[in-house]
Amino acid sequence: MIEGDFEIADPEAMHAFGIGIASSLRAGDVVLLSGDLGAGKTTFTRGLGEGLGIRGPVTSPTFVLARTHPSLVGGPALVHVDAYRLGSALELDDLDIDFAHSVVVVEWGAGLIDVLTDSYLAIDIDRPHGAGVPAEGEIEADDAEVEAPIEPRRVRVEGVGPRWR
């Protein structure tokens, strides 16, 4: 089982984590991704797509709501959904997603997915805020381009419903 709590060190590790999760997925599976902006949801999904052997670069579907990536290896397609602007499960259902023959990843879908399916893999990515960043007034004028350090993410993976029991 892939459930548990994980610490993911950086974007490369988040990508690799997605590749690893892909090996546990099959057509009909739904992945619910939760986390703040910049937490690593799309980076995770890129890795998932690579692990599934899909076509095309995985980018955030914010403006198109859903993007389908066909398989290059005879497996299920990856459907990547951004539900941020959707108000109800009915609006998500109106996207006419082929849940049965795809792996569907839904960002911002908490409260929507459980109306459409009784089983899904919930992945919550916790992005720390402010650790390691200099306090206001500590940055010298010469340090105008100081980069914030990459902070590890805490990731919780939980299977919900009969598919994951």
Side-chain angles (χ1 to χ4, degrees):
M1 190 59 165
I2 53 178
E3 289 185 315
D5 294 310
F6 305 89
E7 183 171 299
I8 308 296
D10 55 32
E12 292 78 20
M14 185 66 75
H15 182 92
F17 188 67
I19 292 171
I21 295 288
S23 66
S24 298
L25 300 177
R26 62 183 187 220
D29 284 342
V30 176
V31 178
L32 171 64
L33 283 180
S34 300
D36 292 340
L37 289 172
K41 295 181 299 293
T42 300
T43 300
F44 168 85
T45 306
R46 280 188 195 109
L48 193 71
E50 183 177 327
L52 292 172
I54 56 95
R55 182 184 74 206
V58 172
T59 59
S60 179
T62 301
F63 298 106
V64 295
L65 299 180
R67 186 172 278 123
T68 300
H69 300 275
S71 175
L72 296 172
V73 297
L78 171 67
V79 179
H80 187 196
V81 180
D82 184 328
Y84 184 77
R85 296 179 307 190
L86 300 180
S88 70
L90 183 59
E91 288 181 60
L92 180 59
D93 193 41
D94 283 346
L95 295 176
D96 200 27
I97 295 168
D98 184 0
F99 282 92
H101 299 101
S102 307
V103 170
V104 180
V105 175
V106 182
E107 298 184 24
W108 307 102
L112 304 178
I113 287 300
D114 51 348
V115 173
L116 299 176
T117 183
D118 62 350
S119 292
Y120 56 92
L121 189 63
I123 300 178
D124 184 43
I125 305 171
D126 182 29
R127 174 180 168 238
H129 295 278
V133 177
E136 189 174 338
E138 289 182 6
I139 299 176
E140 303 276 335
D142 294 340
D143 295 333
E145 293 192 27
V146 172
E147 286 188 35
I150 295 174
E151 298 169 311
R153 295 341 190 209
R154 301 289 311 160
V155 178
R156 176 160 187 76
V157 179
E158 178 181 8
V160 175
R163 159 68 172 103
W164 300 103
R165 294 208 172 27

